[in-house]
Amino acid sequence: MTTKRRPSLKPRKVPQQSRAENTVTAILEAAASILEIRGMEGLNTNLVAQRAGVSVGTLYQYFPNKDALIVALSLQAQAAFFAEAEDALDQPTGQTALEYLISVSVRQQLRRPALARALDFEEGRPAIAKELASSQAAFHRLMQEILSRSDIPPQDNIEIATDDVLAILRALTDAAGERGEVRRSPLEHRVSRALSGYLGIIDTPPVESSRARSRRSRAS
Amino acid sequence: MTTKRRPSLKPRKVPQQSRAENTVTAILEAAASILEIRGMEGLNTNLVAQRAGVSVGTLYQYFPNKDALIVALSLQAQAAFFAEAEDALDQPTGQTALEYLISVSVRQQLRRPALARALDFEEGRPAIAKELASSQAAFHRLMQEILSRSDIPPQDNIEIATDDVLAILRALTDAAGERGEVRRSPLEHRVSRALSGYLGIIDTPPVESSRARSRRSRAS
Amino acid sequence: MTTKRRPSLKPRKVPQQSRAENTVTAILEAAASILEIRGMEGLNTNLVAQRAGVSVGTLYQYFPNKDALIVALSLQAQAAFFAEAEDALDQPTGQTALEYLISVSVRQQLRRPALARALDFEEGRPAIAKELASSQAAFHRLMQEILSRSDIPPQDNIEIATDDVLAILRALTDAAGERGEVRRSPLEHRVSRALSGYLGIIDTPPVESSRARSRRSRAS
Amino acid sequence: MTTKRRPSLKPRKVPQQSRAENTVTAILEAAASILEIRGMEGLNTNLVAQRAGVSVGTLYQYFPNKDALIVALSLQAQAAFFAEAEDALDQPTGQTALEYLISVSVRQQLRRPALARALDFEEGRPAIAKELASSQAAFHRLMQEILSRSDIPPQDNIEIATDDVLAILRALTDAAGERGEVRRSPLEHRVSRALSGYLGIIDTPPVESSRARSRRSRAS
DNA sequence: GATGAATGAGGATTCATTCAT
DNA sequence: CATGAATGAATCCTCATTCAT
């Protein structure tokens, strides 16, 4: 007992041998799959270790506590997302960049929808959010940069707009995942419409008709 | 239009507060305030009982288990919401009905934002969701009825659209609550824009001014 | 996890029903006997609960953690000691008061020597010492008051002298307990000699005999 | 008198530091400093290894278990003490020998007071005491030899007297260390008074001045 | 009905120690 | 010999729930 400093949620030690790397991977995958199937309430460190084929002690060599598992999983997902998402900046216009981002988000979310939802959920917990702050900020910056492009109507409060856009993105993809949707394109459209409306992007008439047409045909 | 006036699902007001009624109220309020301040992890039945000034035994007299507390709290919030929300059906058009609903949602959410968020969060848990299914369905029906009005563009899949609209509504109000926003009007605008975009509602310029007027009067 | 305040070591709740009082007594006695026989390393909350014939949960109703058990045990011992020790102040002279105190200490220590030693030991741990500070201070004051009597040579630094006297008292009684001594009188003599020497008290020959006599009668 | 000069029980100095020797030294020093700063509860083999810059495996190469670390540390301290303490036997009288021993003890204790206290503490644990028995016995013999000198009043029970003298010595030096005292001379006086009193040594007034003188010269 | 004492399964975490490389 | 990854028994502690009074 005595004094107990609040343990950081960062990984405790970096694996230095390859077998250790495997161990970490196995632990994370075990945690992911439990989270997916049983949710946070079914997640306990002993089970994770068992499923990963290691002892609890080993788990704790790499993760200081249970929350650190969630953090690591989130970070992993975010890194995967970011790797693809950054390319959005190469898009010529804000609108295409936004579409790109939507597409990436949707793709990621529908890969392991249940996991993604569970993580979205957990990321809301203060203890976790705190740890992910910097990573989240990177997202925020990326999105904000896109929203600041000249072809996107200027927003009253860019910070809030960014937050909201991300919230809508998450809400719709989570809902789709929960529903068991698997087709990406319809979801992308719906997100796109909500965001366009939110941001005040007018569907330019000429473009609109052609795009709408193609959408209609694709949607069938 | 379609429907006129149906009996609400929940009593509009609680009858003369009997002793038992008082106890239940005290317990729920204790649970609510704990949920608000410490979140779900800080909520435990012993603490709730203590804060409510009753014994745990008494708590279990009224609530069969912990989840029942959450369910009751949600139900209570939903009843309060529904009491106001039903009037949306009296609105002449789908658009005004939607605006009305947005307004009610925002108002409710900003009353006790932290509590509302916590409940939104918990309602996602299967165990809870199951209990709330019928109440949620009522919402869903209400919203769907509005979205089916003739002045709102027909949606490809009305079920999904309804879900999505509710998801967006929740996402934006939760985000606002988390941010500490207190002014309703800006939030209502933002939600309105997102939903209009999602639903394909074109903001007809002339209508806009009249809408703004009505909104102002409602906001008083 | 989240935030974890350092729990106080004070009893968690005061028993309000008589059976609860019995429970607390049983827990403390169980802890005492384990401490006596197996020492601190053999002491664990599950074992204490089992030996007390209650569940762990019950133990934790009354003691916030393991250390709180030690604290309670120490406090109990100190209270017992104090009850007798205070009468030392009624003695006419500092020297007789000191003798009186020695006698009380020796008697207490030899009642349950192993327990007393274990507690003396644990009281040294910062976490415990902190909690006992005020109780210890009372001792300190009592002793200091005695050492300040006119028939005891003035000490260079009364604080240090008090500390030292207590340390010697404890050291010799602990050593005696460890050795398995059971006779009080020889131990009292030895302590008395050490303290007299430390304090610079000259054993006035005539007085000595009378003191010896009185001691003998008290010892019966 | 009785004994002249016997070979010390421990090598006076460690031979040429081989690599293994260095490792052992590093481990012990790491353990010592942890013990000093965090006490026994902060001491764990993994930490010791890390602080010593070696792997746990290596630590276990040299020390069969954790207690062996404590034992080694104690043995080391006792060897250092003994190296100086033996010379006490060269003193002409029992009283000067005792003074000499007090002086050595005080000096040792005040070098690393926190460590010394922690070790004194641990040495009380049966598991440790058992291992140290023979080394402790050497102390005991040394002290007993001194107490048996003709200028020291004969004790009722020489075994007990020896024990008690050592206990007082330890108690007062530990208390001083805890208090943060750094000056040796006042502490030596206090110990000396307590022991003289205990042993029945009369402070012969004329002798007193000469003793003070000799003490001063030693203290330089 | 109310009380609050008691329960005990469940889960987090530590750390001495072993062992494959 | 050294390394550091892995082990898992041991312990602490929580909290939903039950039950005697």
Side-chain angles (χ1 to χ4, degrees), chain C residues 100-129:
Chain C
Y100 187 96
L101 221 52
I102 291 171
S103 169
V104 172
S105 294
V106 165
R107 187 160 47 243
Q108 295 268 354
Q109 186 82 7
L110 293 191
R111 246 202 268 289
R112 297 185 78 170
L115 176 59
R117 257 178 304 134
L119 289 178
D120 275 348
F121 193 85
E122 293 303 316
E123 285 162 12
R125 279 174 40 213
I128 305 291

PDB file of all heavy atoms in Angstrom, chain C residues 100-129:
ATOM      1  N   TYR C 100       6.890   3.557  38.211  1.00  0.00           N
ATOM      2  CA  TYR C 100       5.530   3.119  37.976  1.00  0.00           C
ATOM      3  C   TYR C 100       5.322   2.812  36.483  1.00  0.00           C
ATOM      4  O   TYR C 100       4.772   1.785  36.097  1.00  0.00           O
ATOM      5  CB  TYR C 100       4.575   4.225  38.430  1.00  0.00           C
ATOM      6  CG  TYR C 100       3.123   3.829  38.398  1.00  0.00           C
ATOM      7  CD1 TYR C 100       2.488   3.366  39.548  1.00  0.00           C
ATOM      8  CD2 TYR C 100       2.377   3.922  37.235  1.00  0.00           C
ATOM      9  CE1 TYR C 100       1.153   2.998  39.540  1.00  0.00           C
ATOM     10  CE2 TYR C 100       1.040   3.549  37.200  1.00  0.00           C
ATOM     11  CZ  TYR C 100       0.429   3.089  38.356  1.00  0.00           C
ATOM     12  OH  TYR C 100      -0.881   2.727  38.333  1.00  0.00           O
ATOM     13  N   LEU C 101       5.807   3.722  35.672  1.00  0.00           N
ATOM     14  CA  LEU C 101       5.660   3.584  34.235  1.00  0.00           C
ATOM     15  C   LEU C 101       6.404   2.354  33.726  1.00  0.00           C
ATOM     16  O   LEU C 101       5.932   1.623  32.846  1.00  0.00           O
ATOM     17  CB  LEU C 101       6.206   4.839  33.556  1.00  0.00           C
ATOM     18  CG  LEU C 101       5.383   5.368  32.389  1.00  0.00           C
ATOM     19  CD1 LEU C 101       3.936   5.537  32.781  1.00  0.00           C
ATOM     20  CD2 LEU C 101       5.970   6.675  31.901  1.00  0.00           C
ATOM     21  N   ILE C 102       7.582   2.171  34.259  1.00  0.00           N
ATOM     22  CA  ILE C 102       8.357   0.991  33.883  1.00  0.00           C
ATOM     23  C   ILE C 102       7.565  -0.263  34.219  1.00  0.00           C
ATOM     24  O   ILE C 102       7.452  -1.182  33.413  1.00  0.00           O
ATOM     25  CB  ILE C 102       9.711   0.972  34.632  1.00  0.00           C
ATOM     26  CG1 ILE C 102      10.604   2.098  34.115  1.00  0.00           C
ATOM     27  CG2 ILE C 102      10.398  -0.386  34.455  1.00  0.00           C
ATOM     28  CD1 ILE C 102      11.880   2.301  34.937  1.00  0.00           C
ATOM     29  N   SER C 103       7.005  -0.235  35.392  1.00  0.00           N
ATOM     30  CA  SER C 103       6.250  -1.402  35.831  1.00  0.00           C
ATOM     31  C   SER C 103       5.070  -1.690  34.918  1.00  0.00           C
ATOM     32  O   SER C 103       4.822  -2.828  34.512  1.00  0.00           O
ATOM     33  CB  SER C 103       5.783  -1.141  37.270  1.00  0.00           C
ATOM     34  OG  SER C 103       4.855  -2.118  37.654  1.00  0.00           O
ATOM     35  N   VAL C 104       4.361  -0.630  34.556  1.00  0.00           N
ATOM     36  CA  VAL C 104       3.223  -0.812  33.658  1.00  0.00           C
ATOM     37  C   VAL C 104       3.682  -1.358  32.306  1.00  0.00           C
ATOM     38  O   VAL C 104       3.108  -2.305  31.757  1.00  0.00           O
ATOM     39  CB  VAL C 104       2.460   0.521  33.458  1.00  0.00           C
ATOM     40  CG1 VAL C 104       1.405   0.368  32.368  1.00  0.00           C
ATOM     41  CG2 VAL C 104       1.820   0.974  34.763  1.00  0.00           C
ATOM     42  N   SER C 105       4.729  -0.753  31.772  1.00  0.00           N
ATOM     43  CA  SER C 105       5.239  -1.186  30.472  1.00  0.00           C
ATOM     44  C   SER C 105       5.629  -2.644  30.488  1.00  0.00           C
ATOM     45  O   SER C 105       5.291  -3.409  29.573  1.00  0.00           O
ATOM     46  CB  SER C 105       6.485  -0.385  30.083  1.00  0.00           C
ATOM     47  OG  SER C 105       6.169   0.954  29.879  1.00  0.00           O
ATOM     48  N   VAL C 106       6.354  -2.991  31.496  1.00  0.00           N
ATOM     49  CA  VAL C 106       6.831  -4.364  31.597  1.00  0.00           C
ATOM     50  C   VAL C 106       5.657  -5.331  31.694  1.00  0.00           C
ATOM     51  O   VAL C 106       5.633  -6.356  31.022  1.00  0.00           O
ATOM     52  CB  VAL C 106       7.776  -4.524  32.807  1.00  0.00           C
ATOM     53  CG1 VAL C 106       7.983  -5.996  33.141  1.00  0.00           C
ATOM     54  CG2 VAL C 106       9.097  -3.833  32.519  1.00  0.00           C
ATOM     55  N   ARG C 107       4.708  -4.944  32.492  1.00  0.00           N
ATOM     56  CA  ARG C 107       3.553  -5.829  32.656  1.00  0.00           C
ATOM     57  C   ARG C 107       2.831  -6.020  31.320  1.00  0.00           C
ATOM     58  O   ARG C 107       2.523  -7.130  30.905  1.00  0.00           O
ATOM     59  CB  ARG C 107       2.595  -5.248  33.697  1.00  0.00           C
ATOM     60  CG  ARG C 107       1.462  -6.208  34.037  1.00  0.00           C
ATOM     61  CD  ARG C 107       0.787  -5.885  35.363  1.00  0.00           C
ATOM     62  NE  ARG C 107       0.473  -4.479  35.512  1.00  0.00           N
ATOM     63  CZ  ARG C 107       0.978  -3.674  36.450  1.00  0.00           C
ATOM     64  NH1 ARG C 107       1.834  -4.158  37.343  1.00  0.00           N
ATOM     65  NH2 ARG C 107       0.633  -2.416  36.512  1.00  0.00           N
ATOM     66  N   GLN C 108       2.591  -4.922  30.635  1.00  0.00           N
ATOM     67  CA  GLN C 108       1.904  -5.007  29.351  1.00  0.00           C
ATOM     68  C   GLN C 108       2.682  -5.868  28.353  1.00  0.00           C
ATOM     69  O   GLN C 108       2.138  -6.707  27.668  1.00  0.00           O
ATOM     70  CB  GLN C 108       1.768  -3.600  28.734  1.00  0.00           C
ATOM     71  CG  GLN C 108       0.885  -2.666  29.526  1.00  0.00           C
ATOM     72  CD  GLN C 108      -0.565  -2.712  29.058  1.00  0.00           C
ATOM     73  OE1 GLN C 108      -0.881  -3.370  28.070  1.00  0.00           O
ATOM     74  NE2 GLN C 108      -1.437  -2.029  29.779  1.00  0.00           N
ATOM     75  N   GLN C 109       3.951  -5.589  28.326  1.00  0.00           N
ATOM     76  CA  GLN C 109       4.770  -6.264  27.321  1.00  0.00           C
ATOM     77  C   GLN C 109       4.813  -7.773  27.548  1.00  0.00           C
ATOM     78  O   GLN C 109       4.816  -8.553  26.593  1.00  0.00           O
ATOM     79  CB  GLN C 109       6.205  -5.704  27.389  1.00  0.00           C
ATOM     80  CG  GLN C 109       7.137  -6.203  26.327  1.00  0.00           C
ATOM     81  CD  GLN C 109       6.949  -5.433  25.035  1.00  0.00           C
ATOM     82  OE1 GLN C 109       6.208  -4.455  24.985  1.00  0.00           O
ATOM     83  NE2 GLN C 109       7.615  -5.864  23.980  1.00  0.00           N
ATOM     84  N   LEU C 110       4.842  -8.136  28.811  1.00  0.00           N
ATOM     85  CA  LEU C 110       4.983  -9.564  29.091  1.00  0.00           C
ATOM     86  C   LEU C 110       3.658 -10.315  29.023  1.00  0.00           C
ATOM     87  O   LEU C 110       3.625 -11.529  29.145  1.00  0.00           O
ATOM     88  CB  LEU C 110       5.664  -9.786  30.449  1.00  0.00           C
ATOM     89  CG  LEU C 110       7.126  -9.330  30.511  1.00  0.00           C
ATOM     90  CD1 LEU C 110       7.792  -9.826  31.788  1.00  0.00           C
ATOM     91  CD2 LEU C 110       7.927  -9.800  29.296  1.00  0.00           C
ATOM     92  N   ARG C 111       2.600  -9.567  28.805  1.00  0.00           N
ATOM     93  CA  ARG C 111       1.315 -10.252  28.665  1.00  0.00           C
ATOM     94  C   ARG C 111       1.286 -11.046  27.364  1.00  0.00           C
ATOM     95  O   ARG C 111       0.984 -12.227  27.335  1.00  0.00           O
ATOM     96  CB  ARG C 111       0.184  -9.222  28.665  1.00  0.00           C
ATOM     97  CG  ARG C 111      -0.721  -9.334  29.867  1.00  0.00           C
ATOM     98  CD  ARG C 111      -2.082  -8.718  29.602  1.00  0.00           C
ATOM     99  NE  ARG C 111      -2.165  -7.295  29.995  1.00  0.00           N
ATOM    100  CZ  ARG C 111      -2.170  -6.876  31.263  1.00  0.00           C
ATOM    101  NH1 ARG C 111      -2.035  -7.734  32.251  1.00  0.00           N
ATOM    102  NH2 ARG C 111      -2.278  -5.596  31.533  1.00  0.00           N
ATOM    103  N   ARG C 112       1.560 -10.358  26.274  1.00  0.00           N
ATOM    104  CA  ARG C 112       1.610 -11.039  24.973  1.00  0.00           C
ATOM    105  C   ARG C 112       2.884 -10.548  24.280  1.00  0.00           C
ATOM    106  O   ARG C 112       2.837  -9.737  23.354  1.00  0.00           O
ATOM    107  CB  ARG C 112       0.385 -10.669  24.117  1.00  0.00           C
ATOM    108  CG  ARG C 112      -0.932 -11.111  24.736  1.00  0.00           C
ATOM    109  CD  ARG C 112      -2.110 -10.842  23.821  1.00  0.00           C
ATOM    110  NE  ARG C 112      -2.222 -11.836  22.764  1.00  0.00           N
ATOM    111  CZ  ARG C 112      -3.279 -11.931  21.950  1.00  0.00           C
ATOM    112  NH1 ARG C 112      -4.289 -11.075  22.067  1.00  0.00           N
ATOM    113  NH2 ARG C 112      -3.305 -12.850  21.009  1.00  0.00           N
ATOM    114  N   PRO C 113       3.987 -11.081  24.731  1.00  0.00           N
ATOM    115  CA  PRO C 113       5.278 -10.530  24.297  1.00  0.00           C
ATOM    116  C   PRO C 113       5.458 -10.541  22.782  1.00  0.00           C
ATOM    117  O   PRO C 113       5.923  -9.554  22.201  1.00  0.00           O
ATOM    118  CB  PRO C 113       6.319 -11.432  24.960  1.00  0.00           C
ATOM    119  CG  PRO C 113       5.580 -12.334  25.861  1.00  0.00           C
ATOM    120  CD  PRO C 113       4.127 -12.283  25.535  1.00  0.00           C
ATOM    121  N   ALA C 114       5.086 -11.635  22.151  1.00  0.00           N
ATOM    122  CA  ALA C 114       5.327 -11.735  20.717  1.00  0.00           C
ATOM    123  C   ALA C 114       4.499 -10.690  19.960  1.00  0.00           C
ATOM    124  O   ALA C 114       4.964 -10.045  19.023  1.00  0.00           O
ATOM    125  CB  ALA C 114       4.970 -13.134  20.220  1.00  0.00           C
ATOM    126  N   LEU C 115       3.259 -10.536  20.417  1.00  0.00           N
ATOM    127  CA  LEU C 115       2.411  -9.530  19.792  1.00  0.00           C
ATOM    128  C   LEU C 115       2.983  -8.137  20.003  1.00  0.00           C
ATOM    129  O   LEU C 115       3.074  -7.337  19.067  1.00  0.00           O
ATOM    130  CB  LEU C 115       0.999  -9.610  20.388  1.00  0.00           C
ATOM    131  CG  LEU C 115       0.022  -8.545  19.906  1.00  0.00           C
ATOM    132  CD1 LEU C 115      -0.150  -8.602  18.402  1.00  0.00           C
ATOM    133  CD2 LEU C 115      -1.323  -8.700  20.619  1.00  0.00           C
ATOM    134  N   ALA C 116       3.389  -7.883  21.220  1.00  0.00           N
ATOM    135  CA  ALA C 116       3.929  -6.564  21.523  1.00  0.00           C
ATOM    136  C   ALA C 116       5.143  -6.259  20.660  1.00  0.00           C
ATOM    137  O   ALA C 116       5.291  -5.160  20.115  1.00  0.00           O
ATOM    138  CB  ALA C 116       4.297  -6.489  23.006  1.00  0.00           C
ATOM    139  N   ARG C 117       5.989  -7.257  20.508  1.00  0.00           N
ATOM    140  CA  ARG C 117       7.183  -7.045  19.688  1.00  0.00           C
ATOM    141  C   ARG C 117       6.814  -6.791  18.237  1.00  0.00           C
ATOM    142  O   ARG C 117       7.328  -5.889  17.582  1.00  0.00           O
ATOM    143  CB  ARG C 117       8.109  -8.255  19.757  1.00  0.00           C
ATOM    144  CG  ARG C 117       9.296  -8.012  20.677  1.00  0.00           C
ATOM    145  CD  ARG C 117      10.145  -9.247  20.753  1.00  0.00           C
ATOM    146  NE  ARG C 117       9.355 -10.385  21.185  1.00  0.00           N
ATOM    147  CZ  ARG C 117       9.374 -11.587  20.620  1.00  0.00           C
ATOM    148  NH1 ARG C 117      10.164 -11.813  19.573  1.00  0.00           N
ATOM    149  NH2 ARG C 117       8.621 -12.555  21.089  1.00  0.00           N
ATOM    150  N   ALA C 118       5.899  -7.602  17.747  1.00  0.00           N
ATOM    151  CA  ALA C 118       5.497  -7.436  16.349  1.00  0.00           C
ATOM    152  C   ALA C 118       4.938  -6.033  16.123  1.00  0.00           C
ATOM    153  O   ALA C 118       5.243  -5.370  15.131  1.00  0.00           O
ATOM    154  CB  ALA C 118       4.462  -8.489  15.978  1.00  0.00           C
ATOM    155  N   LEU C 119       4.140  -5.592  17.088  1.00  0.00           N
ATOM    156  CA  LEU C 119       3.566  -4.256  16.929  1.00  0.00           C
ATOM    157  C   LEU C 119       4.632  -3.173  17.020  1.00  0.00           C
ATOM    158  O   LEU C 119       4.643  -2.229  16.226  1.00  0.00           O
ATOM    159  CB  LEU C 119       2.465  -4.025  17.977  1.00  0.00           C
ATOM    160  CG  LEU C 119       1.180  -4.823  17.744  1.00  0.00           C
ATOM    161  CD1 LEU C 119       0.182  -4.568  18.862  1.00  0.00           C
ATOM    162  CD2 LEU C 119       0.556  -4.474  16.384  1.00  0.00           C
ATOM    163  N   ASP C 120       5.521  -3.316  17.983  1.00  0.00           N
ATOM    164  CA  ASP C 120       6.612  -2.339  18.093  1.00  0.00           C
ATOM    165  C   ASP C 120       7.326  -2.228  16.756  1.00  0.00           C
ATOM    166  O   ASP C 120       7.686  -1.136  16.307  1.00  0.00           O
ATOM    167  CB  ASP C 120       7.630  -2.795  19.157  1.00  0.00           C
ATOM    168  CG  ASP C 120       7.205  -2.360  20.556  1.00  0.00           C
ATOM    169  OD1 ASP C 120       6.284  -1.532  20.661  1.00  0.00           O
ATOM    170  OD2 ASP C 120       7.805  -2.846  21.533  1.00  0.00           O
ATOM    171  N   PHE C 121       7.499  -3.382  16.179  1.00  0.00           N
ATOM    172  CA  PHE C 121       8.188  -3.474  14.895  1.00  0.00           C
ATOM    173  C   PHE C 121       7.410  -2.712  13.818  1.00  0.00           C
ATOM    174  O   PHE C 121       7.932  -1.810  13.162  1.00  0.00           O
ATOM    175  CB  PHE C 121       8.244  -4.961  14.537  1.00  0.00           C
ATOM    176  CG  PHE C 121       9.156  -5.299  13.421  1.00  0.00           C
ATOM    177  CD1 PHE C 121      10.508  -5.504  13.634  1.00  0.00           C
ATOM    178  CD2 PHE C 121       8.652  -5.443  12.131  1.00  0.00           C
ATOM    179  CE1 PHE C 121      11.348  -5.849  12.585  1.00  0.00           C
ATOM    180  CE2 PHE C 121       9.487  -5.779  11.081  1.00  0.00           C
ATOM    181  CZ  PHE C 121      10.829  -5.986  11.320  1.00  0.00           C
ATOM    182  N   GLU C 122       6.151  -3.043  13.693  1.00  0.00           N
ATOM    183  CA  GLU C 122       5.338  -2.429  12.646  1.00  0.00           C
ATOM    184  C   GLU C 122       5.141  -0.935  12.837  1.00  0.00           C
ATOM    185  O   GLU C 122       5.028  -0.186  11.868  1.00  0.00           O
ATOM    186  CB  GLU C 122       3.978  -3.109  12.569  1.00  0.00           C
ATOM    187  CG  GLU C 122       4.036  -4.542  12.085  1.00  0.00           C
ATOM    188  CD  GLU C 122       4.701  -4.649  10.731  1.00  0.00           C
ATOM    189  OE1 GLU C 122       4.392  -3.814   9.857  1.00  0.00           O
ATOM    190  OE2 GLU C 122       5.556  -5.534  10.549  1.00  0.00           O
ATOM    191  N   GLU C 123       5.101  -0.552  14.088  1.00  0.00           N
ATOM    192  CA  GLU C 123       4.885   0.869  14.355  1.00  0.00           C
ATOM    193  C   GLU C 123       6.009   1.726  13.797  1.00  0.00           C
ATOM    194  O   GLU C 123       5.869   2.940  13.665  1.00  0.00           O
ATOM    195  CB  GLU C 123       4.738   1.104  15.869  1.00  0.00           C
ATOM    196  CG  GLU C 123       3.383   0.660  16.384  1.00  0.00           C
ATOM    197  CD  GLU C 123       3.361   0.465  17.896  1.00  0.00           C
ATOM    198  OE1 GLU C 123       4.319   0.881  18.574  1.00  0.00           O
ATOM    199  OE2 GLU C 123       2.378  -0.115  18.398  1.00  0.00           O
ATOM    200  N   GLY C 124       7.095   1.068  13.500  1.00  0.00           N
ATOM    201  CA  GLY C 124       8.209   1.808  12.927  1.00  0.00           C
ATOM    202  C   GLY C 124       7.991   2.165  11.462  1.00  0.00           C
ATOM    203  O   GLY C 124       8.583   3.111  10.957  1.00  0.00           O
ATOM    204  N   ARG C 125       7.138   1.401  10.798  1.00  0.00           N
ATOM    205  CA  ARG C 125       6.895   1.683   9.380  1.00  0.00           C
ATOM    206  C   ARG C 125       6.198   3.022   9.208  1.00  0.00           C
ATOM    207  O   ARG C 125       5.210   3.293   9.879  1.00  0.00           O
ATOM    208  CB  ARG C 125       6.057   0.572   8.758  1.00  0.00           C
ATOM    209  CG  ARG C 125       6.887  -0.640   8.376  1.00  0.00           C
ATOM    210  CD  ARG C 125       5.998  -1.765   7.909  1.00  0.00           C
ATOM    211  NE  ARG C 125       4.904  -1.271   7.084  1.00  0.00           N
ATOM    212  CZ  ARG C 125       3.689  -1.812   7.043  1.00  0.00           C
ATOM    213  NH1 ARG C 125       3.424  -2.845   7.804  1.00  0.00           N
ATOM    214  NH2 ARG C 125       2.786  -1.305   6.258  1.00  0.00           N
ATOM    215  N   PRO C 126       6.718   3.839   8.321  1.00  0.00           N
ATOM    216  CA  PRO C 126       6.185   5.191   8.155  1.00  0.00           C
ATOM    217  C   PRO C 126       4.670   5.243   8.019  1.00  0.00           C
ATOM    218  O   PRO C 126       4.002   6.042   8.688  1.00  0.00           O
ATOM    219  CB  PRO C 126       6.850   5.669   6.862  1.00  0.00           C
ATOM    220  CG  PRO C 126       8.102   4.864   6.756  1.00  0.00           C
ATOM    221  CD  PRO C 126       7.809   3.547   7.388  1.00  0.00           C
ATOM    222  N   ALA C 127       4.123   4.344   7.184  1.00  0.00           N
ATOM    223  CA  ALA C 127       2.687   4.373   6.952  1.00  0.00           C
ATOM    224  C   ALA C 127       1.914   4.216   8.249  1.00  0.00           C
ATOM    225  O   ALA C 127       0.886   4.861   8.468  1.00  0.00           O
ATOM    226  CB  ALA C 127       2.292   3.278   5.967  1.00  0.00           C
ATOM    227  N   ILE C 128       2.427   3.357   9.101  1.00  0.00           N
ATOM    228  CA  ILE C 128       1.760   3.112  10.370  1.00  0.00           C
ATOM    229  C   ILE C 128       2.037   4.246  11.346  1.00  0.00           C
ATOM    230  O   ILE C 128       1.126   4.780  11.981  1.00  0.00           O
ATOM    231  CB  ILE C 128       2.257   1.793  10.991  1.00  0.00           C
ATOM    232  CG1 ILE C 128       2.080   0.630  10.008  1.00  0.00           C
ATOM    233  CG2 ILE C 128       1.542   1.515  12.299  1.00  0.00           C
ATOM    234  CD1 ILE C 128       0.670   0.236   9.754  1.00  0.00           C
ATOM    235  N   ALA C 129       3.298   4.594  11.429  1.00  0.00           N
ATOM    236  CA  ALA C 129       3.714   5.617  12.388  1.00  0.00           C
ATOM    237  C   ALA C 129       2.898   6.890  12.213  1.00  0.00           C
ATOM    238  O   ALA C 129       2.455   7.513  13.186  1.00  0.00           O
ATOM    239  CB  ALA C 129       5.198   5.915  12.212  1.00  0.00           C
TER     240      ALA C 129
END
